[in-house]
Amino acid sequence: MKITIEGLTKKFGEVVAVKDFDAVIEKGQLVCLLGPSGCGKSTMLYMLAGTEAATSGKIYFDDEDVTYMAPEDRGVGLVFQNYALYPHMTVLQNICFPLEIQKVPKAERIARAKEIAKLVQIDDYLHRKPSQLSGGQQQRVAIARALVKKPRLLLLDEPLSNLDARLRLVMREEIRRIQQETKVTTIFVTHDQEEAMSISDVILLMKDGEEQQSDAPQAIYDNPANAFTANFLGVPAINNIYGIVKDGKFHTHDGSAVIEHEACKKVPEGKKVSFAIRPEAIELAKDKANFKAYLVHTYAMGKEELSYMTVGTTEIRGYLPNGTEIEKEYNIHLRNKGVFIFDEETGERYA
Amino acid sequence: MKLDMFKKKDKEPKVKFTKKWEPFVFLLPFAIGVTIFTIYPLFNVIFMSFKENFVLLTGKYSSLGFGNFEHVMQDRYFIQGMQNTFKYVLVVIPISTCISIIIATLLNNKIKFMPFFQTAYFLPMVTSATAVGLAWKYMFHYQYGVVNYLLGLVGINPIAWLTDVSSNFTALCVYGVWNMLPFTIVLLLSGLQNIDKLYYTAARVDGASTLRIFFRITVPMLLPTIFLTMVVNSISAFKVFHELFPLWSGQPGIAYNLFTVVYYIFYQFRGLTPPQYGRAAAAAVILFIVIFIFTRIQILIQKKFNN
Ligand SMILES: Nc1ncnc2c1ncn2[C@@H]1O[C@H](COP(=O)(O)OP(=O)(O)OP(=O)(O)O)[C@@H](O)[C@H]1O
Ligand SMILES: [Mg+2]
C-alpha cells in the first residue's frame, strides 16, 4: 500500500512534535524513520496508526484519506518499543488476540497464528508466557502478532532497542527477511543510523519534527542535503573543520590551516562555513595535495588503519594505509566523493 | 606478612560476634510487645478453649477437654452465627469486589477528577466507623431515610430496613459492602495504575472494544490485586461484628436474629452470667480454623488461575 503524508503536524500544547511533514512511501517498501531522540518519530508512527490524532495535515493510504479514521479500521500492525505482549496470555493467545477481535473462527485463528509463528520462527514456544522468552523471541512474537491480521502497513517503533548488540544484528536481518517474504509496506523507527542504513529501502531523516531528507540510504550518505544529515549518517562520523573561504581557499577560523579545494569556488567569500570530509575521502597525496595534516595516532583495522590527524588545531579521522608512520606531517588529498561544504550557522549546503 | 594475616583472622570473629547480637537488641522492645499482646494471648485462647467453666479472675476451671467445643457446636446461636457469617461473606465479598472493580476502572479512565475522587473514596477509611454507621442508621430510617426516599423515586415501597427481621440482613450487607469499598478501590486503583497504557493502545489498534479490553486485558492483569483484596476482605468479613452496633444499638439485629460468630464470642462473656470464657475461646478457635481453611482455598484457586 502506498502512503502519502501531506503537511502533517502534531502539537502537544506548545510542543510541536511533528511539523509540516510531507512524504510518499511506495508500496512494499521498508522505510526507516530515523532521527535523534525526541524528534517526533514515535509521534509520527502513532499518527499513522491512528492512536494519536493529527493536529493538521493529511494521511492517505493509497487514495483513501485516513487522517480521521479510527485505528482499528486502518489495518495497521503496530510493534511497540517494549513489545507490549500481554503477560497473562501465552504466545499463541497473544498472536491469536487480533484475530479473536475480528471474530475469526477459533480453528482458523490457531491455524493462521501457527503459520505466522513459523514464519518468524517461534513455533516452538507457542505455549510459553512472554516472561519465559528472551528479548529476541519476544520481539518475534510482537512481530507475529502485528502480522497475523495481514496488515496493510506494519509499523515498528524501535523494536531492536532492548536487545544486545549481537542480537540486534541478527534481528534486523530477520526483520528484513520477514518483510521481503510478506512484502508488507513497513515503517521502522530507529535512532540508530547504522540500523537504518543496513535494512531500509528508503530513509526518512527527521530532526525536531521536521523532515531533513528522504532517499535511499546510500544516496543520503553520498549526497546529504544539509549539515545535520551529513553528520547524522556515517561511522566514524564525518569530520568538520570550521572556517571561512577567502581568495578561493578555505582558512580555519584561527588561521592554523588552509585547504585548497575546487569546491571552495561555490561558497560566498567570507561566509562562516564547515568543511566536511568523510573519513574515507582522505588519502595520502601522490602529487596534488589539498592540505597538510599531522598524524597523531593510528588503530589497526585490518586492511587499513583508522588514523587520528590534526589539521591545524582540528582533529580529524581518516583511513590511511597500514604502516603509515605516526608523529609526522603528510600531504593529504581528498577524493571526489565525500567532501561537502555547509554553512556553519544554517547547515545549508554550498558544495 | 604471615603475622599480619593471623592478626586479621583473629580480629574478624570478634567483630562479627558483637554485630550478631546487635539486631536482637534492637528487636527486643518490639519482640516483647508482640509476645505479650499477640503470641501470649493467641496461645492462651487455645488453652482456654479446653478449660471448662473457666473463671478469668481466679484462673480456676473444672476440667480439661473438648466440652466447650461440644457445647458451642450444638448451640443454636453459634450455628445461626456461623450461618449468618458465611452468608455475609459470600454476599458481601463478590458484590463489593465487583462494585470496586467497576468504580476503580471508571476512576482510572477519568483521570481528570482523580485527586477529588481519590480523596472522596479514601475519606470513609479515615472517619470513625461508628459515626459512619450512625449515619447509615438514619439513612435506613423507615420514614425519613434517604434509602427509602431513593427507592420511592423509582416506585418501590419503603422497606423497614432495620426494624423488620426479614430486611435486617440486607441492611447489614449494604452497610458492609459500602464499608469495604474505599479500601478495595484504593488497592485496585493502584493495581490499575501499574498496568501499562501500552497494552490498551495495542488492543485498540487491533480493534478491541472497550468491553473486550476490560474483560480480556484489564481484569486478567488486575487479577493478583483482585485476589489480594478478596483474601483480605474475606478475613475481615468473617469477623463481622462492629457493623452491628451502630445499626441496632448493640443488638445483633432487631430481634437477636443476626448473630455472627464474633458477636457470639462477645455474647459469651458480655451477655451471660457467669461469663463463659472457655466457650468464647472455643468459638474463637473454630473461627480461626474456618478462616484459615477459607483463605487456603482462595490461595489455591489463585494459583490455579495463574497457571
Ligand atoms: N503525550 C505527549 N505530551 C506532550 N508532549 C509529548 C507527548 N508525546 C511526545 N511529546 C513530545 O513530542 C516530542 C516528540 O516525541 P516522540 O516520542 O515522538 O519522540 P521520538 O522521536 O520517538 O523519541 P525517542 O527516540 O526518544 O523515542 C518530544 O519533545 C516529546 O517530549
Ligand atoms: Mg519514540
Side-chain angles (χ1 to χ4, degrees), chain A residues 12 15 17 36-43 81 158 191:
Chain A
F12 293 106
V15 184
S37 187
C39 73
K41 304 181 297 289
S42 298
T43 309
Q81 189 164 340
E158 306 200 25
H191 56 238

mmCIF file of all heavy atoms in Angstrom, chain A residues 12 15 17 36-43 81 158 191, ligand 1:
data_model
loop_
_atom_site.group_PDB
_atom_site.id
_atom_site.type_symbol
_atom_site.label_atom_id
_atom_site.label_comp_id
_atom_site.label_asym_id
_atom_site.label_seq_id
_atom_site.Cartn_x
_atom_site.Cartn_y
_atom_site.Cartn_z
ATOM 1 N N PHE A 12 1.620 19.115 20.850
ATOM 2 C CA PHE A 12 1.186 18.809 22.218
ATOM 3 C C PHE A 12 1.251 20.130 22.974
ATOM 4 O O PHE A 12 2.301 20.489 23.485
ATOM 5 C CB PHE A 12 2.111 17.801 22.879
ATOM 6 C CG PHE A 12 2.075 16.432 22.267
ATOM 7 C CD1 PHE A 12 3.115 15.986 21.472
ATOM 8 C CD2 PHE A 12 1.000 15.589 22.479
ATOM 9 C CE1 PHE A 12 3.089 14.722 20.908
ATOM 10 C CE2 PHE A 12 0.967 14.323 21.918
ATOM 11 C CZ PHE A 12 2.012 13.892 21.131
ATOM 12 N N VAL A 15 4.426 22.283 22.512
ATOM 13 C CA VAL A 15 5.452 21.480 21.841
ATOM 14 C C VAL A 15 4.979 21.064 20.451
ATOM 15 O O VAL A 15 3.890 20.518 20.300
ATOM 16 C CB VAL A 15 5.765 20.209 22.666
ATOM 17 C CG1 VAL A 15 6.899 19.426 22.022
ATOM 18 C CG2 VAL A 15 6.090 20.578 24.094
ATOM 19 N N ALA A 17 5.632 18.452 17.947
ATOM 20 C CA ALA A 17 6.344 17.174 17.849
ATOM 21 C C ALA A 17 6.633 16.815 16.392
ATOM 22 O O ALA A 17 7.696 16.287 16.074
ATOM 23 C CB ALA A 17 5.534 16.071 18.522
ATOM 24 N N PRO A 36 17.266 11.762 15.855
ATOM 25 C CA PRO A 36 17.700 11.707 17.250
ATOM 26 C C PRO A 36 16.510 11.577 18.197
ATOM 27 O O PRO A 36 15.367 11.793 17.791
ATOM 28 C CB PRO A 36 18.417 13.042 17.456
ATOM 29 C CG PRO A 36 17.906 13.938 16.388
ATOM 30 C CD PRO A 36 17.511 13.075 15.244
ATOM 31 N N SER A 37 16.773 11.224 19.437
ATOM 32 C CA SER A 37 15.727 11.042 20.434
ATOM 33 C C SER A 37 14.902 12.320 20.581
ATOM 34 O O SER A 37 15.438 13.417 20.618
ATOM 35 C CB SER A 37 16.370 10.671 21.766
ATOM 36 O OG SER A 37 15.381 10.352 22.683
ATOM 37 N N GLY A 38 13.585 12.140 20.646
ATOM 38 C CA GLY A 38 12.708 13.287 20.867
ATOM 39 C C GLY A 38 12.373 14.078 19.621
ATOM 40 O O GLY A 38 11.772 15.143 19.708
ATOM 41 N N CYS A 39 12.718 13.565 18.442
ATOM 42 C CA CYS A 39 12.485 14.339 17.223
ATOM 43 C C CYS A 39 11.084 14.112 16.669
ATOM 44 O O CYS A 39 10.710 14.720 15.679
ATOM 45 C CB CYS A 39 13.535 14.024 16.175
ATOM 46 S SG CYS A 39 13.321 12.402 15.441
ATOM 47 N N GLY A 40 10.306 13.232 17.287
ATOM 48 C CA GLY A 40 8.926 13.053 16.844
ATOM 49 C C GLY A 40 8.681 11.788 16.042
ATOM 50 O O GLY A 40 7.642 11.657 15.404
ATOM 51 N N LYS A 41 9.595 10.836 16.111
ATOM 52 C CA LYS A 41 9.437 9.614 15.339
ATOM 53 C C LYS A 41 8.237 8.801 15.828
ATOM 54 O O LYS A 41 7.396 8.390 15.028
ATOM 55 C CB LYS A 41 10.705 8.747 15.448
ATOM 56 C CG LYS A 41 11.981 9.448 15.039
ATOM 57 C CD LYS A 41 13.178 8.531 15.140
ATOM 58 C CE LYS A 41 13.473 8.059 16.547
ATOM 59 N NZ LYS A 41 13.994 9.103 17.446
ATOM 60 N N SER A 42 8.180 8.596 17.134
ATOM 61 C CA SER A 42 7.077 7.797 17.673
ATOM 62 C C SER A 42 5.748 8.483 17.404
ATOM 63 O O SER A 42 4.768 7.832 17.038
ATOM 64 C CB SER A 42 7.247 7.597 19.180
ATOM 65 O OG SER A 42 8.422 6.893 19.436
ATOM 66 N N THR A 43 5.728 9.801 17.587
ATOM 67 C CA THR A 43 4.507 10.560 17.352
ATOM 68 C C THR A 43 4.028 10.349 15.917
ATOM 69 O O THR A 43 2.844 10.116 15.664
ATOM 70 C CB THR A 43 4.770 12.048 17.610
ATOM 71 O OG1 THR A 43 5.382 12.178 18.891
ATOM 72 C CG2 THR A 43 3.498 12.847 17.566
ATOM 73 N N GLN A 81 7.980 -0.450 21.147
ATOM 74 C CA GLN A 81 9.378 -0.462 21.568
ATOM 75 C C GLN A 81 9.642 -1.567 22.589
ATOM 76 O O GLN A 81 10.620 -2.269 22.515
ATOM 77 C CB GLN A 81 9.731 0.908 22.145
ATOM 78 C CG GLN A 81 11.200 1.080 22.416
ATOM 79 C CD GLN A 81 11.549 2.542 22.608
ATOM 80 O OE1 GLN A 81 10.819 3.428 22.201
ATOM 81 N NE2 GLN A 81 12.673 2.794 23.218
ATOM 82 N N GLU A 158 11.186 1.362 17.205
ATOM 83 C CA GLU A 158 12.466 0.971 17.796
ATOM 84 C C GLU A 158 12.427 -0.450 18.358
ATOM 85 O O GLU A 158 12.693 -0.670 19.535
ATOM 86 C CB GLU A 158 12.871 1.950 18.907
ATOM 87 C CG GLU A 158 12.871 3.365 18.403
ATOM 88 C CD GLU A 158 13.693 4.303 19.258
ATOM 89 O OE1 GLU A 158 14.618 3.832 19.930
ATOM 90 O OE2 GLU A 158 13.413 5.499 19.225
ATOM 91 N N HIS A 191 16.725 5.252 16.069
ATOM 92 C CA HIS A 191 17.630 6.395 16.135
ATOM 93 C C HIS A 191 19.066 5.955 15.840
ATOM 94 O O HIS A 191 19.999 6.704 15.997
ATOM 95 C CB HIS A 191 17.525 7.140 17.474
ATOM 96 C CG HIS A 191 17.764 6.270 18.665
ATOM 97 N ND1 HIS A 191 16.834 6.113 19.657
ATOM 98 C CD2 HIS A 191 18.800 5.512 19.006
ATOM 99 C CE1 HIS A 191 17.296 5.278 20.548
ATOM 100 N NE2 HIS A 191 18.494 4.902 20.194
HETATM 101 N N1 LIG C 1 1.806 12.995 25.083
HETATM 102 C C1 LIG C 1 2.696 13.990 24.941
HETATM 103 N N2 LIG C 1 2.509 15.186 25.540
HETATM 104 C C2 LIG C 1 3.387 16.195 25.382
HETATM 105 N N3 LIG C 1 4.499 16.117 24.673
HETATM 106 C C3 LIG C 1 4.759 14.963 24.042
HETATM 107 C C4 LIG C 1 3.877 13.838 24.148
HETATM 108 N N4 LIG C 1 4.400 12.822 23.427
HETATM 109 C C5 LIG C 1 5.541 13.291 22.898
HETATM 110 N N5 LIG C 1 5.759 14.581 23.258
HETATM 111 C C6 LIG C 1 6.890 15.416 22.841
HETATM 112 O O1 LIG C 1 6.982 15.385 21.459
HETATM 113 C C7 LIG C 1 8.308 15.276 21.018
HETATM 114 C C8 LIG C 1 8.491 14.053 20.163
HETATM 115 O O2 LIG C 1 8.293 12.886 20.929
HETATM 116 P P1 LIG C 1 8.432 11.423 20.334
HETATM 117 O O3 LIG C 1 8.054 10.464 21.391
HETATM 118 O O4 LIG C 1 7.689 11.343 19.045
HETATM 119 O O5 LIG C 1 9.998 11.353 20.065
HETATM 120 P P2 LIG C 1 10.857 10.144 19.463
HETATM 121 O O6 LIG C 1 11.483 10.667 18.233
HETATM 122 O O7 LIG C 1 10.031 8.940 19.354
HETATM 123 O O8 LIG C 1 11.972 9.978 20.561
HETATM 124 P P3 LIG C 1 12.684 8.621 21.096
HETATM 125 O O9 LIG C 1 13.689 8.231 20.074
HETATM 126 O O10 LIG C 1 13.333 9.079 22.357
HETATM 127 O O11 LIG C 1 11.615 7.602 21.304
HETATM 128 C C9 LIG C 1 9.161 15.264 22.288
HETATM 129 O O12 LIG C 1 9.662 16.567 22.501
HETATM 130 C C10 LIG C 1 8.190 14.872 23.360
HETATM 131 O O13 LIG C 1 8.568 15.470 24.573
#
